[in-house]
Amino acid sequence: MNIMLTCAGRRNYLVRFFQEALDTKGLVFVSDTNSSAATMQEADKAFKMPPVNSPEYLDRLLEICQEHQIRLLISLNDLELPVLAKERDRFLKLSTIPVISKPEVVDTCFDKWATFQFLNKCGILAPKTYLSLDEARQAISSREIDFPLVIKPRWGSASIAIEYVENAEELELAYRYVYKKVQQTILADISAVDPDNCILIQEKISGQEYGLDVFNDFSCNYVNTFVKRKLYMRAGETDRAITVRDKQLETLGAEIANKLGHLGNLDCDVIVNPQGNYVLEMNPRFGGGYPFTHLAGVNLPATLIAWANGEVPDPNWLILQANVLSSKCDRLIVHQQ
């Protein structure tokens, strides 16, 4: 049982979680476009890859999966998910199971306008969202929304180019700034799909933010939802959190899972206030908040490995211990020369 984590970056904790779950019964490989990525130093074997949008990327990944008998393929990057989702059958022919949702599910999550439409259709609360400055101005004029507002890329990742605005002047400036910023980042190619509608204006919801790990099996059937209350953020990622048992949020996770039909883990951001539970984001992959779930007794890596082996997971791997407070911290990695 060999496992590949792609676009692994600095998620050394996931390398360790999978290594512990395998318990010497297989290897954990990683790939990244940067040979100095931290995970490249601690995986059992590491591969430097061309950029995800390179014509050589997919063939190289397929070659690695075949040569090293990769059983589970797990992507950790939003930009890579659409590429791999469309080529799922090519991996399955190599006996590699991509833990990746169907293309339509990936597209619904990656395109934040599609996310908004999906949530509205399901009757799930989401921040009011607009595709153009004119629509946002009209909504402000009619008091449908009010400042502060959020300006963000329609196809976003890693909190790139997100701005918060307090008045009409800032709205105009931030919109132009975010548009220009997107063209200078890794989001440029995907945003070119609809360049006139690649920036969203969204109401800013206040309240307590929660992270949900919503877990489905390989047949996209709902398994469980694991909830943590976010206590501190850093660089757009949860830095400190405490696990909770919350029936309303667990029910919300089940509703999303059953209507979306994703495969594996779905990382969701939710803000709770007196008006209700607002879903901000859905990412069909392991998110930056998963370590807090794992440290509270849940073991999704071990569960995925059991399913890949045709085994029944230990039920204890899917039980969250509440009130576990944990924090991320930096540590140094020595690079082998």
Side-chain angles (χ1 to χ4, degrees), residues 318-331:
L318 298 169
I319 297 175
L320 182 79
Q321 181 182 346
N323 299 314
V324 176
L325 172 62
S326 48
S327 302
K328 292 179 180 176
C329 63
D330 291 328
R331 64 187 179 91

Side-chain angles (χ1 to χ4, degrees), residues 257-268:
N258 289 323
K259 291 181 176 177
L260 184 65
H262 65 282
L263 188 157
N265 198 41
L266 181 77
D267 175 57
C268 287

Side-chain angles (χ1 to χ4, degrees), residues 7-15 31-32 36-40 42 76 234-235 237 239 328-331 333:
C7 300
R10 63 199 301 269
R11 296 177 181 87
N12 292 57
Y13 52 81
L14 275 179
V15 174
S31 67
D32 200 89
S36 64
T39 48
M40 303 281 270
E42 295 191 330
L76 305 176
R234 187 175 68 163
E237 195 171 275
D239 200 56
K328 292 179 180 176
C329 63
D330 291 328
R331 64 187 179 91
I333 299 292

Side-chain angles (χ1 to χ4, degrees), residues 245-258:
R245 296 301 305 270
D246 186 301
K247 191 63 179 177
Q248 282 194 353
L249 293 178
E250 290 165 6
T251 300
L252 175 61
E255 183 180 4
I256 292 171
N258 289 323

